[in-house]
Amino acid sequence: MASNGQALLRVENLRTHLFLKRGVLKAVDGVSLHVDEGETLGLVGESGSGKSMTSLSIMRLLPKHSGRIVDGHVWLDGTDLTTLPEDEMARDWRGSRVSMVSQDPMTSLNPVFTVGDQVGAPFRYHKLAQGAQAVRDAVVKVLGRVRIPSPERRLDNYPHQFSGGMRQRVVAAMAIACAPRLLIADEPTSNLDVTIQVQMIELFRELQRDSGLGIILITHDLGVAASICDRVAVMYAGRIVEVGDVRTMYRAAAHPYTQALLNSIPHLGQRRRRLYAIGGQPPSLIDPPVGCRFAPRCPRRTAKCDAEYPPEVELAPGHVTACWHPGPGGSA
Amino acid sequence: MSLLEIRDLKKHFRVGGGLLSTAGTVKAVNGVSFAVGEGETFALVGESGCGKTTIAKMVLMLERPTSGAILFDGEDLASMGSAGVKAYRRQVQTVFQDPYASLNPRLRVRTIIAEPILAHGRPERATLRKRVEEVLDVVGLPKTAADLFPHEFSGGQRQRVAIARALALNPRCIVLDEPISALDVSIRAQILNLLADIQERFRLTYLIIAHDLALVEHFSTRVGVMYLGNMVEAGPTSEVFAHPRHPYTQALLASVPRPDPDHRPPADAIRGEIASAMAPPSGCKFHPRCPHAMPVCNTEFPGWRNLGATHAAACHLLELT
Ligand SMILES: Nc1ncnc2c1ncn2[C@@H]1O[C@H](COP(=O)(O)OP(=O)(O)OP(=O)(O)O)[C@@H](O)[C@H]1O
Ligand SMILES: Nc1ncnc2c1ncn2[C@@H]1O[C@H](COP(=O)(O)OP(=O)(O)OP(=O)(O)O)[C@@H](O)[C@H]1O
Ligand SMILES: [Mg+2]
Ligand SMILES: [Mg+2]
């Protein structure tokens, strides 16, 4: 979608497919987005829509045997990451210039090593601290930044001795250890209580102010997205269906899927007997429909929606949607 | 009578003793009591690391309490015979926080869902197949999902599998530890509506752990607010949310991020560092971070104060009124 000359990250027409026994799953099917320096882009949307696959593509951490970027570019600071040899990606980019807080803290943490060993690894690997004591001090400091209480005493614990939210913060500590240019945070706050969420959001903001860090925040929490993102992109079935600045997206969303998402959330202080839920299922990504992928569940569906994928329209500067019938929605 | 009753429950862990650090005790749960009536939804909320999952694990008999008691239908778990324990395990099921860790990656979904059924009986193959497909349908997954492995699903889809497994045995009580934090909001709504429907239909009792307070307000009938191993406030959800009396509950509610770009949660609703369960503060454990702390808060642990028939909080401020 709309791209900017001096964007920190520019993803162009990314297609990432998973080659599975049951067929080719088009997990990411033509995604374009950009993140400027010091900016936070929210990536929200349906479960299974390809948000994690998009971030794993940027990190070049796709499932080894099945996953492959089949088309598109990922420009970070002017370098196309998709064309880099793996050793260069590992040495100079992954974990240093671009890092990720993965959705599942337990897969990023090895159960047989202590938390201190693991948080120390990026410091040792990228040679940011020399000697055991220096690494240890660096680890204590970064664990303190993500608000782990008594870090010097919990360093020698194993991941299973930490609570869910503590593990998530440990993974965040590993991601910010090397002062990256771009941080991809996949559900970084979903297991955290709200007060720590606020503190993590503050920590991210601080990093942005200090170093111009760009952030992609993947979240299902539209409250968290509203309070931290500058822009928000909504994904559905492997594609971005709407993107815009945060106010536009919350106040004047034009795509029926975005509107349905906003209608589905419970609001503090308004107890409803039932929550609004979108009926039906998302389409198969192995055999996606030719037309709009949301059409079968959409209240505005017409014959055209089934026949042809809608073109992107720019409704206002930076506010782009792919819909045949964009416009304000009724409330649920 | 309550279906589930927790009495003065404690769980202490020994940790540390590494090369450079000294060993110590984590007082993960330090004297918690509450009761959950049949058909009710009791929500446990509170800071990360305050002991919620540890309570859930003790209820599920995955951890043994250091002291205190858990009663189910009036019967103490500790004194149940093996038949009683088996029946209990059948009636109390769970959906855990982490949809990745909780599903065995080497098993197909069909086997994952059938596992608890087979642990409690030997149904015919056709019956088993039908039940698996039934519960998949209940959680909105197609029949074909039964033949896939967990890694073939997205995070949210995996959590639906975990919910299907919990439903397989028609339990009386389900412990839900962050059951929907991995789901997108639309599926969250579907799952919450679904959990509400089956609760009504089968008079299910839920013990739910959640950080999303809007969800807790919507979904639970009663709520218990925990801080560092203790319960600090408990009562009917509508009352606690409308009139929170403990300063920690007040701060928690003030911090909730809203789906409104112009609302900024106050960064200073709670001051100071998160306290450590290894070296908890004296007196009221919240006092170093409390905006209303008084000298007594530093020295004396506050007792429960009744604020209505079923609403109570533990705070010295309440003694002043
Ligand atoms: N290792 C894998 N093997 C096969 N299919 C996979 C694998 N990982 C993901 N998928 C599929 O790829 C699609 C995109 O998944 P992805 O994890 O990117 O979704 P997501 O948007 O991050 O969802 P969630 O919000 O649930 O985390 C889904 O249909 C999922 O089932
Ligand atoms: N097996 C264990 N060994 C040592 N310490 C443990 C163990 N399990 C939990 N703890 C500690 O007990 C405390 C409570 O953990 P618990 O998992 O119950 O927290 P929680 O309230 O569920 O937090 P979260 O919201 O982050 O999931 C934490 O300090 C944790 O590190
Ligand atoms: Mg994901
Ligand atoms: Mg927990």
Side-chain angles (χ1 to χ4, degrees), chain A residues 273-274, chain B residues 38-41 131 134-139 167 170-172 192-206:
Chain A
R273 232 181 60 72
R274 288 184 76 75
Chain B
E38 180 134 42
E40 200 173 58
T41 299
R131 182 66 190 152
E134 250 169 42
V135 291
L136 281 175
D137 186 57
V138 163
V139 298
L167 292 175
N170 279 322
R172 282 175 77 192
L192 286 175
N193 288 341
L194 168 81
L195 288 170
D197 288 347
I198 54 177
Q199 176 169 48
E200 209 165 295
R201 221 158 85 206
F202 306 111
R203 239 177 111 66
L204 280 175
T205 303
Y206 293 141

PDB file of all heavy atoms in Angstrom, chain A residues 273-274, chain B residues 38-41 131 134-139 167 170-172 192-206:
ATOM      1  N   ARG A 273     -25.242  -8.800  27.234  1.00  0.00           N
ATOM      2  CA  ARG A 273     -25.564 -10.205  27.463  1.00  0.00           C
ATOM      3  C   ARG A 273     -24.786 -11.098  26.498  1.00  0.00           C
ATOM      4  O   ARG A 273     -24.247 -12.120  26.868  1.00  0.00           O
ATOM      5  CB  ARG A 273     -27.067 -10.444  27.329  1.00  0.00           C
ATOM      6  CG  ARG A 273     -27.657 -11.181  28.550  1.00  0.00           C
ATOM      7  CD  ARG A 273     -29.131 -11.432  28.393  1.00  0.00           C
ATOM      8  NE  ARG A 273     -29.438 -12.236  27.225  1.00  0.00           N
ATOM      9  CZ  ARG A 273     -29.183 -13.541  27.124  1.00  0.00           C
ATOM     10  NH1 ARG A 273     -28.623 -14.176  28.125  1.00  0.00           N
ATOM     11  NH2 ARG A 273     -29.486 -14.204  26.035  1.00  0.00           N
ATOM     12  N   ARG A 274     -24.757 -10.697  25.270  1.00  0.00           N
ATOM     13  CA  ARG A 274     -23.961 -11.445  24.305  1.00  0.00           C
ATOM     14  C   ARG A 274     -23.062 -10.496  23.545  1.00  0.00           C
ATOM     15  O   ARG A 274     -23.410  -9.347  23.322  1.00  0.00           O
ATOM     16  CB  ARG A 274     -24.860 -12.165  23.310  1.00  0.00           C
ATOM     17  CG  ARG A 274     -25.586 -13.347  23.890  1.00  0.00           C
ATOM     18  CD  ARG A 274     -26.361 -14.060  22.822  1.00  0.00           C
ATOM     19  NE  ARG A 274     -25.510 -14.865  21.952  1.00  0.00           N
ATOM     20  CZ  ARG A 274     -24.982 -16.030  22.315  1.00  0.00           C
ATOM     21  NH1 ARG A 274     -25.167 -16.501  23.524  1.00  0.00           N
ATOM     22  NH2 ARG A 274     -24.249 -16.725  21.481  1.00  0.00           N
TER      23      ARG A 274
ATOM     24  N   GLU B  38     -21.985 -23.474  42.365  1.00  0.00           N
ATOM     25  CA  GLU B  38     -22.282 -24.212  41.134  1.00  0.00           C
ATOM     26  C   GLU B  38     -22.930 -23.284  40.105  1.00  0.00           C
ATOM     27  O   GLU B  38     -23.807 -22.493  40.426  1.00  0.00           O
ATOM     28  CB  GLU B  38     -23.209 -25.386  41.459  1.00  0.00           C
ATOM     29  CG  GLU B  38     -23.557 -26.213  40.240  1.00  0.00           C
ATOM     30  CD  GLU B  38     -23.421 -27.713  40.513  1.00  0.00           C
ATOM     31  OE1 GLU B  38     -23.846 -28.147  41.590  1.00  0.00           O
ATOM     32  OE2 GLU B  38     -22.895 -28.423  39.635  1.00  0.00           O
ATOM     33  N   GLY B  39     -22.474 -23.381  38.862  1.00  0.00           N
ATOM     34  CA  GLY B  39     -23.044 -22.571  37.788  1.00  0.00           C
ATOM     35  C   GLY B  39     -22.512 -21.155  37.741  1.00  0.00           C
ATOM     36  O   GLY B  39     -22.899 -20.356  36.899  1.00  0.00           O
ATOM     37  N   GLU B  40     -21.592 -20.842  38.662  1.00  0.00           N
ATOM     38  CA  GLU B  40     -21.068 -19.493  38.746  1.00  0.00           C
ATOM     39  C   GLU B  40     -19.776 -19.364  37.928  1.00  0.00           C
ATOM     40  O   GLU B  40     -19.133 -20.352  37.625  1.00  0.00           O
ATOM     41  CB  GLU B  40     -20.746 -19.246  40.217  1.00  0.00           C
ATOM     42  CG  GLU B  40     -20.634 -17.810  40.618  1.00  0.00           C
ATOM     43  CD  GLU B  40     -20.481 -17.692  42.134  1.00  0.00           C
ATOM     44  OE1 GLU B  40     -19.538 -18.257  42.706  1.00  0.00           O
ATOM     45  OE2 GLU B  40     -21.322 -17.020  42.731  1.00  0.00           O
ATOM     46  N   THR B  41     -19.407 -18.136  37.586  1.00  0.00           N
ATOM     47  CA  THR B  41     -18.102 -17.899  36.967  1.00  0.00           C
ATOM     48  C   THR B  41     -17.292 -17.006  37.886  1.00  0.00           C
ATOM     49  O   THR B  41     -17.644 -15.846  38.106  1.00  0.00           O
ATOM     50  CB  THR B  41     -18.251 -17.218  35.598  1.00  0.00           C
ATOM     51  OG1 THR B  41     -18.998 -18.077  34.748  1.00  0.00           O
ATOM     52  CG2 THR B  41     -16.893 -16.960  34.970  1.00  0.00           C
ATOM     53  N   ARG B 131     -18.035 -38.212  18.991  1.00  0.00           N
ATOM     54  CA  ARG B 131     -17.851 -37.239  20.061  1.00  0.00           C
ATOM     55  C   ARG B 131     -16.762 -36.221  19.670  1.00  0.00           C
ATOM     56  O   ARG B 131     -16.893 -35.033  19.916  1.00  0.00           O
ATOM     57  CB  ARG B 131     -17.467 -37.964  21.358  1.00  0.00           C
ATOM     58  CG  ARG B 131     -17.302 -37.054  22.562  1.00  0.00           C
ATOM     59  CD  ARG B 131     -18.609 -36.409  22.959  1.00  0.00           C
ATOM     60  NE  ARG B 131     -18.400 -35.353  23.964  1.00  0.00           N
ATOM     61  CZ  ARG B 131     -19.201 -34.309  24.091  1.00  0.00           C
ATOM     62  NH1 ARG B 131     -20.248 -34.168  23.320  1.00  0.00           N
ATOM     63  NH2 ARG B 131     -18.964 -33.408  25.018  1.00  0.00           N
ATOM     64  N   GLU B 134     -18.186 -33.897  17.224  1.00  0.00           N
ATOM     65  CA  GLU B 134     -19.152 -33.030  17.909  1.00  0.00           C
ATOM     66  C   GLU B 134     -18.467 -31.842  18.577  1.00  0.00           C
ATOM     67  O   GLU B 134     -18.861 -30.695  18.387  1.00  0.00           O
ATOM     68  CB  GLU B 134     -19.855 -33.829  19.016  1.00  0.00           C
ATOM     69  CG  GLU B 134     -21.302 -34.141  18.780  1.00  0.00           C
ATOM     70  CD  GLU B 134     -21.781 -35.158  19.824  1.00  0.00           C
ATOM     71  OE1 GLU B 134     -21.434 -35.033  21.022  1.00  0.00           O
ATOM     72  OE2 GLU B 134     -22.479 -36.087  19.413  1.00  0.00           O
ATOM     73  N   VAL B 135     -17.443 -32.146  19.380  1.00  0.00           N
ATOM     74  CA  VAL B 135     -16.810 -31.041  20.114  1.00  0.00           C
ATOM     75  C   VAL B 135     -16.028 -30.121  19.176  1.00  0.00           C
ATOM     76  O   VAL B 135     -15.944 -28.921  19.413  1.00  0.00           O
ATOM     77  CB  VAL B 135     -15.920 -31.505  21.303  1.00  0.00           C
ATOM     78  CG1 VAL B 135     -16.779 -32.085  22.405  1.00  0.00           C
ATOM     79  CG2 VAL B 135     -14.846 -32.471  20.869  1.00  0.00           C
ATOM     80  N   LEU B 136     -15.486 -30.669  18.088  1.00  0.00           N
ATOM     81  CA  LEU B 136     -14.829 -29.800  17.104  1.00  0.00           C
ATOM     82  C   LEU B 136     -15.845 -28.830  16.521  1.00  0.00           C
ATOM     83  O   LEU B 136     -15.585 -27.638  16.352  1.00  0.00           O
ATOM     84  CB  LEU B 136     -14.198 -30.632  15.979  1.00  0.00           C
ATOM     85  CG  LEU B 136     -12.871 -31.296  16.295  1.00  0.00           C
ATOM     86  CD1 LEU B 136     -12.431 -32.184  15.140  1.00  0.00           C
ATOM     87  CD2 LEU B 136     -11.800 -30.245  16.596  1.00  0.00           C
ATOM     88  N   ASP B 137     -17.027 -29.350  16.246  1.00  0.00           N
ATOM     89  CA  ASP B 137     -18.075 -28.512  15.697  1.00  0.00           C
ATOM     90  C   ASP B 137     -18.479 -27.420  16.695  1.00  0.00           C
ATOM     91  O   ASP B 137     -18.671 -26.264  16.324  1.00  0.00           O
ATOM     92  CB  ASP B 137     -19.282 -29.386  15.340  1.00  0.00           C
ATOM     93  CG  ASP B 137     -20.341 -28.572  14.629  1.00  0.00           C
ATOM     94  OD1 ASP B 137     -20.010 -27.974  13.598  1.00  0.00           O
ATOM     95  OD2 ASP B 137     -21.481 -28.514  15.125  1.00  0.00           O
ATOM     96  N   VAL B 138     -18.569 -27.814  17.964  1.00  0.00           N
ATOM     97  CA  VAL B 138     -18.925 -26.853  19.007  1.00  0.00           C
ATOM     98  C   VAL B 138     -17.951 -25.669  19.020  1.00  0.00           C
ATOM     99  O   VAL B 138     -18.346 -24.527  19.195  1.00  0.00           O
ATOM    100  CB  VAL B 138     -18.952 -27.546  20.393  1.00  0.00           C
ATOM    101  CG1 VAL B 138     -18.906 -26.525  21.512  1.00  0.00           C
ATOM    102  CG2 VAL B 138     -20.180 -28.419  20.536  1.00  0.00           C
ATOM    103  N   VAL B 139     -16.657 -25.936  18.813  1.00  0.00           N
ATOM    104  CA  VAL B 139     -15.683 -24.846  18.854  1.00  0.00           C
ATOM    105  C   VAL B 139     -15.432 -24.239  17.476  1.00  0.00           C
ATOM    106  O   VAL B 139     -14.533 -23.426  17.291  1.00  0.00           O
ATOM    107  CB  VAL B 139     -14.329 -25.284  19.475  1.00  0.00           C
ATOM    108  CG1 VAL B 139     -14.533 -25.712  20.910  1.00  0.00           C
ATOM    109  CG2 VAL B 139     -13.670 -26.380  18.659  1.00  0.00           C
ATOM    110  N   LEU B 167     -13.962 -29.960  26.693  1.00  0.00           N
ATOM    111  CA  LEU B 167     -15.392 -30.238  26.668  1.00  0.00           C
ATOM    112  C   LEU B 167     -15.711 -31.715  26.485  1.00  0.00           C
ATOM    113  O   LEU B 167     -16.826 -32.159  26.750  1.00  0.00           O
ATOM    114  CB  LEU B 167     -16.051 -29.459  25.520  1.00  0.00           C
ATOM    115  CG  LEU B 167     -16.100 -27.943  25.669  1.00  0.00           C
ATOM    116  CD1 LEU B 167     -16.659 -27.310  24.406  1.00  0.00           C
ATOM    117  CD2 LEU B 167     -16.921 -27.556  26.884  1.00  0.00           C
ATOM    118  N   ASN B 170     -17.703 -33.791  29.115  1.00  0.00           N
ATOM    119  CA  ASN B 170     -18.839 -33.172  29.796  1.00  0.00           C
ATOM    120  C   ASN B 170     -18.555 -32.851  31.258  1.00  0.00           C
ATOM    121  O   ASN B 170     -19.237 -33.329  32.161  1.00  0.00           O
ATOM    122  CB  ASN B 170     -20.063 -34.087  29.743  1.00  0.00           C
ATOM    123  CG  ASN B 170     -20.767 -33.969  28.424  1.00  0.00           C
ATOM    124  OD1 ASN B 170     -20.872 -32.868  27.864  1.00  0.00           O
ATOM    125  ND2 ASN B 170     -21.223 -35.086  27.907  1.00  0.00           N
ATOM    126  N   PRO B 171     -17.550 -32.033  31.517  1.00  0.00           N
ATOM    127  CA  PRO B 171     -17.158 -31.777  32.902  1.00  0.00           C
ATOM    128  C   PRO B 171     -18.183 -30.911  33.637  1.00  0.00           C
ATOM    129  O   PRO B 171     -19.075 -30.338  33.013  1.00  0.00           O
ATOM    130  CB  PRO B 171     -15.855 -31.011  32.736  1.00  0.00           C
ATOM    131  CG  PRO B 171     -16.006 -30.304  31.437  1.00  0.00           C
ATOM    132  CD  PRO B 171     -16.776 -31.237  30.555  1.00  0.00           C
ATOM    133  N   ARG B 172     -18.042 -30.823  34.968  1.00  0.00           N
ATOM    134  CA  ARG B 172     -18.897 -29.924  35.758  1.00  0.00           C
ATOM    135  C   ARG B 172     -18.240 -28.580  35.951  1.00  0.00           C
ATOM    136  O   ARG B 172     -18.909 -27.575  36.166  1.00  0.00           O
ATOM    137  CB  ARG B 172     -19.168 -30.539  37.139  1.00  0.00           C
ATOM    138  CG  ARG B 172     -20.207 -31.629  37.106  1.00  0.00           C
ATOM    139  CD  ARG B 172     -20.323 -32.273  38.469  1.00  0.00           C
ATOM    140  NE  ARG B 172     -21.084 -31.456  39.408  1.00  0.00           N
ATOM    141  CZ  ARG B 172     -21.127 -31.703  40.721  1.00  0.00           C
ATOM    142  NH1 ARG B 172     -20.426 -32.695  41.229  1.00  0.00           N
ATOM    143  NH2 ARG B 172     -21.841 -30.941  41.510  1.00  0.00           N
ATOM    144  N   LEU B 192     -16.463 -16.863  23.872  1.00  0.00           N
ATOM    145  CA  LEU B 192     -17.115 -16.414  25.104  1.00  0.00           C
ATOM    146  C   LEU B 192     -18.610 -16.681  25.050  1.00  0.00           C
ATOM    147  O   LEU B 192     -19.202 -17.148  26.028  1.00  0.00           O
ATOM    148  CB  LEU B 192     -16.855 -14.927  25.332  1.00  0.00           C
ATOM    149  CG  LEU B 192     -15.446 -14.582  25.798  1.00  0.00           C
ATOM    150  CD1 LEU B 192     -15.276 -13.079  25.878  1.00  0.00           C
ATOM    151  CD2 LEU B 192     -15.143 -15.219  27.147  1.00  0.00           C
ATOM    152  N   ASN B 193     -19.230 -16.399  23.910  1.00  0.00           N
ATOM    153  CA  ASN B 193     -20.653 -16.707  23.766  1.00  0.00           C
ATOM    154  C   ASN B 193     -20.882 -18.203  23.913  1.00  0.00           C
ATOM    155  O   ASN B 193     -21.821 -18.647  24.578  1.00  0.00           O
ATOM    156  CB  ASN B 193     -21.177 -16.232  22.407  1.00  0.00           C
ATOM    157  CG  ASN B 193     -21.279 -14.705  22.334  1.00  0.00           C
ATOM    158  OD1 ASN B 193     -21.305 -14.030  23.362  1.00  0.00           O
ATOM    159  ND2 ASN B 193     -21.324 -14.169  21.130  1.00  0.00           N
ATOM    160  N   LEU B 194     -19.972 -18.965  23.304  1.00  0.00           N
ATOM    161  CA  LEU B 194     -20.057 -20.420  23.378  1.00  0.00           C
ATOM    162  C   LEU B 194     -19.908 -20.919  24.814  1.00  0.00           C
ATOM    163  O   LEU B 194     -20.695 -21.742  25.297  1.00  0.00           O
ATOM    164  CB  LEU B 194     -18.943 -21.006  22.504  1.00  0.00           C
ATOM    165  CG  LEU B 194     -18.667 -22.482  22.650  1.00  0.00           C
ATOM    166  CD1 LEU B 194     -19.678 -23.258  21.844  1.00  0.00           C
ATOM    167  CD2 LEU B 194     -17.256 -22.807  22.199  1.00  0.00           C
ATOM    168  N   LEU B 195     -18.913 -20.383  25.520  1.00  0.00           N
ATOM    169  CA  LEU B 195     -18.717 -20.805  26.911  1.00  0.00           C
ATOM    170  C   LEU B 195     -19.949 -20.444  27.743  1.00  0.00           C
ATOM    171  O   LEU B 195     -20.372 -21.204  28.606  1.00  0.00           O
ATOM    172  CB  LEU B 195     -17.458 -20.150  27.495  1.00  0.00           C
ATOM    173  CG  LEU B 195     -16.106 -20.677  26.982  1.00  0.00           C
ATOM    174  CD1 LEU B 195     -14.967 -19.781  27.451  1.00  0.00           C
ATOM    175  CD2 LEU B 195     -15.855 -22.116  27.435  1.00  0.00           C
ATOM    176  N   ALA B 196     -20.529 -19.282  27.457  1.00  0.00           N
ATOM    177  CA  ALA B 196     -21.737 -18.868  28.182  1.00  0.00           C
ATOM    178  C   ALA B 196     -22.894 -19.808  27.864  1.00  0.00           C
ATOM    179  O   ALA B 196     -23.651 -20.198  28.756  1.00  0.00           O
ATOM    180  CB  ALA B 196     -22.091 -17.428  27.829  1.00  0.00           C
ATOM    181  N   ASP B 197     -23.039 -20.189  26.603  1.00  0.00           N
ATOM    182  CA  ASP B 197     -24.124 -21.099  26.211  1.00  0.00           C
ATOM    183  C   ASP B 197     -24.003 -22.450  26.890  1.00  0.00           C
ATOM    184  O   ASP B 197     -24.966 -22.948  27.471  1.00  0.00           O
ATOM    185  CB  ASP B 197     -24.112 -21.326  24.689  1.00  0.00           C
ATOM    186  CG  ASP B 197     -24.578 -20.096  23.937  1.00  0.00           C
ATOM    187  OD1 ASP B 197     -25.131 -19.185  24.592  1.00  0.00           O
ATOM    188  OD2 ASP B 197     -24.377 -20.044  22.710  1.00  0.00           O
ATOM    189  N   ILE B 198     -22.812 -23.046  26.811  1.00  0.00           N
ATOM    190  CA  ILE B 198     -22.685 -24.388  27.392  1.00  0.00           C
ATOM    191  C   ILE B 198     -22.770 -24.312  28.915  1.00  0.00           C
ATOM    192  O   ILE B 198     -23.222 -25.238  29.555  1.00  0.00           O
ATOM    193  CB  ILE B 198     -21.406 -25.132  26.941  1.00  0.00           C
ATOM    194  CG1 ILE B 198     -20.167 -24.311  27.195  1.00  0.00           C
ATOM    195  CG2 ILE B 198     -21.490 -25.533  25.480  1.00  0.00           C
ATOM    196  CD1 ILE B 198     -18.890 -25.056  26.830  1.00  0.00           C
ATOM    197  N   GLN B 199     -22.368 -23.177  29.471  1.00  0.00           N
ATOM    198  CA  GLN B 199     -22.510 -23.032  30.911  1.00  0.00           C
ATOM    199  C   GLN B 199     -23.978 -23.092  31.312  1.00  0.00           C
ATOM    200  O   GLN B 199     -24.365 -23.796  32.236  1.00  0.00           O
ATOM    201  CB  GLN B 199     -21.917 -21.704  31.370  1.00  0.00           C
ATOM    202  CG  GLN B 199     -22.130 -21.440  32.854  1.00  0.00           C
ATOM    203  CD  GLN B 199     -21.323 -20.264  33.352  1.00  0.00           C
ATOM    204  OE1 GLN B 199     -21.324 -19.201  32.734  1.00  0.00           O
ATOM    205  NE2 GLN B 199     -20.636 -20.444  34.445  1.00  0.00           N
ATOM    206  N   GLU B 200     -24.796 -22.377  30.565  1.00  0.00           N
ATOM    207  CA  GLU B 200     -26.217 -22.352  30.857  1.00  0.00           C
ATOM    208  C   GLU B 200     -26.814 -23.740  30.664  1.00  0.00           C
ATOM    209  O   GLU B 200     -27.583 -24.218  31.490  1.00  0.00           O
ATOM    210  CB  GLU B 200     -26.878 -21.347  29.921  1.00  0.00           C
ATOM    211  CG  GLU B 200     -28.113 -20.691  30.494  1.00  0.00           C
ATOM    212  CD  GLU B 200     -28.473 -19.465  29.654  1.00  0.00           C
ATOM    213  OE1 GLU B 200     -27.681 -18.507  29.633  1.00  0.00           O
ATOM    214  OE2 GLU B 200     -29.515 -19.503  29.002  1.00  0.00           O
ATOM    215  N   ARG B 201     -26.433 -24.381  29.565  1.00  0.00           N
ATOM    216  CA  ARG B 201     -27.027 -25.665  29.219  1.00  0.00           C
ATOM    217  C   ARG B 201     -26.673 -26.751  30.224  1.00  0.00           C
ATOM    218  O   ARG B 201     -27.503 -27.554  30.611  1.00  0.00           O
ATOM    219  CB  ARG B 201     -26.531 -26.081  27.837  1.00  0.00           C
ATOM    220  CG  ARG B 201     -27.627 -26.689  27.001  1.00  0.00           C
ATOM    221  CD  ARG B 201     -27.324 -26.603  25.539  1.00  0.00           C
ATOM    222  NE  ARG B 201     -26.492 -27.689  25.067  1.00  0.00           N
ATOM    223  CZ  ARG B 201     -25.701 -27.589  23.991  1.00  0.00           C
ATOM    224  NH1 ARG B 201     -25.629 -26.454  23.329  1.00  0.00           N
ATOM    225  NH2 ARG B 201     -24.989 -28.613  23.599  1.00  0.00           N
ATOM    226  N   PHE B 202     -25.415 -26.781  30.651  1.00  0.00           N
ATOM    227  CA  PHE B 202     -24.974 -27.876  31.522  1.00  0.00           C
ATOM    228  C   PHE B 202     -24.701 -27.428  32.946  1.00  0.00           C
ATOM    229  O   PHE B 202     -24.130 -28.173  33.726  1.00  0.00           O
ATOM    230  CB  PHE B 202     -23.710 -28.528  30.942  1.00  0.00           C
ATOM    231  CG  PHE B 202     -23.861 -28.983  29.522  1.00  0.00           C
ATOM    232  CD1 PHE B 202     -23.196 -28.348  28.501  1.00  0.00           C
ATOM    233  CD2 PHE B 202     -24.713 -30.037  29.211  1.00  0.00           C
ATOM    234  CE1 PHE B 202     -23.344 -28.759  27.182  1.00  0.00           C
ATOM    235  CE2 PHE B 202     -24.865 -30.462  27.900  1.00  0.00           C
ATOM    236  CZ  PHE B 202     -24.183 -29.822  26.880  1.00  0.00           C
ATOM    237  N   ARG B 203     -25.088 -26.189  33.284  1.00  0.00           N
ATOM    238  CA  ARG B 203     -24.824 -25.667  34.618  1.00  0.00           C
ATOM    239  C   ARG B 203     -23.347 -25.784  34.976  1.00  0.00           C
ATOM    240  O   ARG B 203     -22.976 -26.200  36.086  1.00  0.00           O
ATOM    241  CB  ARG B 203     -25.657 -26.394  35.660  1.00  0.00           C
ATOM    242  CG  ARG B 203     -26.566 -25.450  36.436  1.00  0.00           C
ATOM    243  CD  ARG B 203     -27.439 -26.207  37.415  1.00  0.00           C
ATOM    244  NE  ARG B 203     -27.070 -25.944  38.821  1.00  0.00           N
ATOM    245  CZ  ARG B 203     -27.199 -24.787  39.408  1.00  0.00           C
ATOM    246  NH1 ARG B 203     -27.652 -23.736  38.758  1.00  0.00           N
ATOM    247  NH2 ARG B 203     -26.875 -24.632  40.686  1.00  0.00           N
ATOM    248  N   LEU B 204     -22.488 -25.454  34.019  1.00  0.00           N
ATOM    249  CA  LEU B 204     -21.050 -25.532  34.252  1.00  0.00           C
ATOM    250  C   LEU B 204     -20.580 -24.439  35.213  1.00  0.00           C
ATOM    251  O   LEU B 204     -21.146 -23.353  35.253  1.00  0.00           O
ATOM    252  CB  LEU B 204     -20.295 -25.350  32.936  1.00  0.00           C
ATOM    253  CG  LEU B 204     -20.186 -26.557  32.011  1.00  0.00           C
ATOM    254  CD1 LEU B 204     -19.520 -26.136  30.717  1.00  0.00           C
ATOM    255  CD2 LEU B 204     -19.380 -27.654  32.683  1.00  0.00           C
ATOM    256  N   THR B 205     -19.550 -24.779  35.943  1.00  0.00           N
ATOM    257  CA  THR B 205     -18.921 -23.805  36.825  1.00  0.00           C
ATOM    258  C   THR B 205     -17.567 -23.444  36.231  1.00  0.00           C
ATOM    259  O   THR B 205     -16.830 -24.330  35.805  1.00  0.00           O
ATOM    260  CB  THR B 205     -18.713 -24.436  38.216  1.00  0.00           C
ATOM    261  OG1 THR B 205     -19.986 -24.881  38.691  1.00  0.00           O
ATOM    262  CG2 THR B 205     -18.123 -23.438  39.196  1.00  0.00           C
ATOM    263  N   TYR B 206     -17.272 -22.156  36.176  1.00  0.00           N
ATOM    264  CA  TYR B 206     -15.988 -21.738  35.617  1.00  0.00           C
ATOM    265  C   TYR B 206     -15.134 -21.039  36.667  1.00  0.00           C
ATOM    266  O   TYR B 206     -15.623 -20.190  37.412  1.00  0.00           O
ATOM    267  CB  TYR B 206     -16.174 -20.749  34.463  1.00  0.00           C
ATOM    268  CG  TYR B 206     -16.819 -21.311  33.225  1.00  0.00           C
ATOM    269  CD1 TYR B 206     -17.731 -20.541  32.511  1.00  0.00           C
ATOM    270  CD2 TYR B 206     -16.511 -22.579  32.745  1.00  0.00           C
ATOM    271  CE1 TYR B 206     -18.320 -21.018  31.351  1.00  0.00           C
ATOM    272  CE2 TYR B 206     -17.093 -23.069  31.587  1.00  0.00           C
ATOM    273  CZ  TYR B 206     -17.999 -22.284  30.893  1.00  0.00           C
ATOM    274  OH  TYR B 206     -18.568 -22.755  29.755  1.00  0.00           O
TER     275      TYR B 206
END
